Amino acid sequence: MKDKFFLSPKRLKQIKKIQNRCKIISVDHIENVQNGYIKSFDKKISSLGVFDNNLNAIKSAEIRWDNFLLFKQKWGNVDGSKVTYVDKDVIYLGQTPGHFGHFLINTLDRAWPLTIDEFKDKAVVIIKTYYNNESYYSLLEYLGVRKENIIILDKTTQFKSVLVPQRSFKHKEIISQQFVDTFKKIASNITKSYPYNKIYVSRTNFVNKNNSGNMLFGEKQIENIFKQNGYHVIYPETLTIAEQIGYMKNCRHLAGVAGTALHLALFMQDGGEVVQINRSKCSFAYAQMQINNIKQHHSVYIDASIEKYKTNHSALVPQIIGCNKYVQDFLKSSKFVFSQSDIAEQPNVYSDYLQACKNTPRLKFVRSRFLHQLIAVMARIICVFIPSRQLRHTIRAKI
């Protein structure tokens, strides 16, 4: 079944461009760093990473997002002779991100060796950065890692060997079957299941990590339409990770607003349907597209944003969705049952959204809309003056 797009022509063009660029690959490489060091997070210089016995940084251990280097790999002022030595082979996974979705796709992307018998009893190391979530431990335990073999590292340590797996997922670039196998193994160790084959994952009870409340307005209207058309509504933040995965066991149709909750599609059986409701006008949750493609899910993408101030997908500013033209086209195409009152404009909700915008510093909106575009333009301008093609590529990646 072909994917369906209820999007603006501009958005559709952008998505098709990224779709053509994303590749499905196979990964099998694990770099073995004998007597390797794993350097703890140094907040002053934003540095962490893996180093060999001569204190040379291991490039394959870099932590990147969209080819941006998130942390420098600099040794700093650590005295190597005073570092604790642990006589153990460990698998390096990365860091503890402040965002659960990034743990799934930007930390567990290195966890695929744990699905192979040769490595299943190895200890894993994750460098503690800004955040530590109990769900991180739970997922690793469901992957088969014993609790005593989970090392959340906050002090630079030398190990007998550090195994650095090849990344099995790169945002807007590559995804692999090995990445999917990680989540299949996790799901296989969850015994609880629920009978619902249509599930809507709601953000209406979601509170941002800065405790500023739910920054998304208007979802309840759309959620109610899905509910009256046979979708069981769940609120992921009120459930344990095992319960969330349990709901995916029999789910064949998953719907919700673009975000981490839709990544639960990784735990569905292949060949389902995922309906992604976009909440911003300036960007798109491409990671979900990659997940849907390799899982062979039928994808439905809907532009539902009716925001006055354009934002990016992950911006921590007020956003609003509603039953605009694209949502109504989807409802009719999918033969949903609804009345005119179900899709009517909600002036009170829009007023609340505008008030929230008024209470949000304008600089946040400016940053959310223009930051990525500004960085891209700067990279292009700077690279015009660099004769070496390889150096241009390196500069663009770092900027």
Side-chain angles (χ1 to χ4, degrees):
M1 190 181 295
K2 288 185 178 180
D3 292 345
K4 291 184 178 180
F5 303 92
F6 299 90
L7 310 169
S8 67
K10 182 179 179 180
R11 173 95 80 178
L12 182 57
K13 184 177 179 181
Q14 291 170 339
I15 291 172
K16 290 292 187 182
K17 182 179 178 181
I18 299 297
Q19 265 189 330
N20 292 334
R21 193 174 84 185
C22 292
K23 306 296 181 186
I24 294 177
I25 67 166
S26 180
V27 297
D28 59 8
H29 181 67
I30 302 174
E31 187 166 357
N32 190 335
V33 185
Q34 292 292 318
N35 296 310
Y37 293 89
I38 300 184
K39 183 181 179 295
S40 60
F41 179 50
D42 185 338
K43 193 172 182 179
K44 289 182 180 178
I45 58 174
S46 189
S47 173
L48 52 75
V50 179
F51 296 78
D52 65 20
N53 199 32
N54 296 314
L55 305 185
N56 297 309
I58 304 301
K59 187 170 179 58
S60 64
E62 289 179 344
I63 299 174
R64 292 180 174 273
W65 182 256
D66 277 358
N67 215 21
F68 290 97
L69 188 63
L70 299 182
F71 303 94
K72 303 169 188 173
Q73 283 206 115
K74 288 188 176 181
W75 184 254
N77 297 321
V78 179
D79 185 346
S81 65
K82 295 181 180 179
V83 169
T84 301
Y85 177 83
V86 176
D87 188 25
K88 185 179 286 189
D89 302 318
V90 298
I91 297 175
Y92 168 77
L93 296 185
Q95 54 109 12
T96 56
H99 189 289
F100 185 64
H102 283 274
F103 182 78
L104 294 178
I105 60 180
N106 210 30
T107 299
L108 292 185
D109 65 327
R110 296 185 189 271
W112 55 268
L114 295 168
T115 66
I116 303 170
D117 286 345
E118 180 185 351
F119 302 100
K120 66 180 183 180
D121 293 323
K122 298 288 186 189
V124 300
V125 175
I126 305 176
I127 300 170
K128 185 178 180 181
T129 50
Y130 298 104
Y131 196 65
N132 203 3
N133 189 319
E134 281 299 316
S135 294
Y136 298 170
Y137 292 95
S138 298
L139 283 171
L140 289 168
E141 288 180 45
Y142 290 127
L143 191 50
V145 184
R146 297 193 304 273
K147 195 160 190 175
E148 62 268 24
N149 277 344
I150 301 172
I151 302 171
I152 306 298
L153 188 136
D154 59 4
K155 184 178 180 181
T156 300
T157 305
Q158 185 179 26
F159 294 92
K160 179 182 176 182
S161 73
V162 179
L163 304 176
V164 183
Q166 180 181 357
R167 293 180 61 192
S168 61
F169 176 94
K170 293 182 183 178
H171 188 233
K172 295 194 290 190
E173 291 185 45
I174 61 101
I175 193 169
S176 71
Q177 186 58 47
Q178 288 80 4
F179 177 75
V180 173
D181 289 344
T182 299
F183 298 95
K184 283 185 176 179
K185 183 172 181 180
I186 292 171
S188 71
N189 288 319
I190 303 292
T191 56
K192 195 171 184 63
S193 66
Y194 299 87
Y196 310 105
N197 75 339
K198 290 183 176 182
I199 292 175
Y200 182 95
V201 285
S202 174
R203 295 174 66 93
T204 54
N205 290 345
F206 179 72
V207 177
N208 283 295
K209 61 185 178 182
N210 59 2
N211 293 319
S212 58
N214 190 351
M215 304 286 273
L216 179 66
F217 294 81
E219 183 185 8
K220 200 68 181 177
Q221 180 184 36
I222 294 174
E223 176 187 313
N224 286 338
I225 295 173
F226 274 87
K227 186 175 181 179
Q228 59 194 47
N229 281 274
Y231 280 76
H232 179 74
V233 180
I234 65 171
Y235 306 91
E237 65 280 357
T238 68
L239 304 170
T240 66
I241 189 63
E243 289 170 331
Q244 293 178 49
I245 296 170
Y247 273 107
M248 296 301 109
K249 291 276 189 172
N250 294 308
C251 179
R252 302 303 297 154
H253 304 270
L254 180 66
V257 175
T260 296
L262 284 183
H263 294 349
L264 290 172
L266 283 163
F267 302 104
M268 292 169 61
Q269 294 295 316
D270 292 358
E273 178 187 69
V274 179
V275 179
Q276 176 173 297
I277 302 165
N278 301 318
R279 55 190 162 96
S280 68
K281 289 185 176 179
C282 284
S283 63
F284 183 81
Y286 290 104
Q288 192 64 49
M289 179 182 72
Q290 291 175 266
I291 291 167
N292 293 351
N293 286 349
I294 198 164
K295 291 284 291 180
Q296 298 178 13
H297 292 325
H298 168 53
S299 301
V300 181
Y301 302 108
I302 311 167
D303 270 343
S305 174
I306 55 173
E307 58 192 7
K308 179 177 181 180
Y309 306 105
K310 293 181 180 180
T311 66
N312 282 321
H313 163 71
S314 58
L316 292 176
V317 294
Q319 297 173 319
I320 185 169
I321 58 175
C323 292
N324 60 10
K325 172 187 180 301
Y326 302 113
V327 173
Q328 292 182 44
D329 287 347
F330 160 74
L331 297 175
K332 293 170 186 174
S333 173
S334 302
K335 296 182 169 50
F336 271 38
V337 176
F338 63 96
S339 66
Q340 285 304 305
S341 62
D342 292 330
I343 60 172
E345 292 184 3
Q346 302 180 95
N348 290 341
V349 174
Y350 201 80
S351 177
D352 291 342
Y353 158 73
L354 291 177
Q355 184 60 48
C357 291
K358 186 177 179 181
N359 296 336
T360 301
R362 293 289 295 154
L363 181 58
K364 284 190 176 182
F365 281 103
V366 172
R367 279 205 302 255
S368 71
R369 182 179 177 185
F370 296 116
L371 182 59
H372 293 298
Q373 292 91 330
L374 180 60
I375 290 173
V377 170
M378 286 175 59
R380 292 192 185 98
I381 292 172
I382 291 170
C383 290
V384 165
F385 302 98
I386 300 173
S388 165
R389 182 178 181 181
Q390 182 59 41
L391 185 56
R392 286 199 302 270
H393 176 79
T394 302
I395 295 292
R396 277 197 296 268
K398 288 192 174 183
I399 293 178

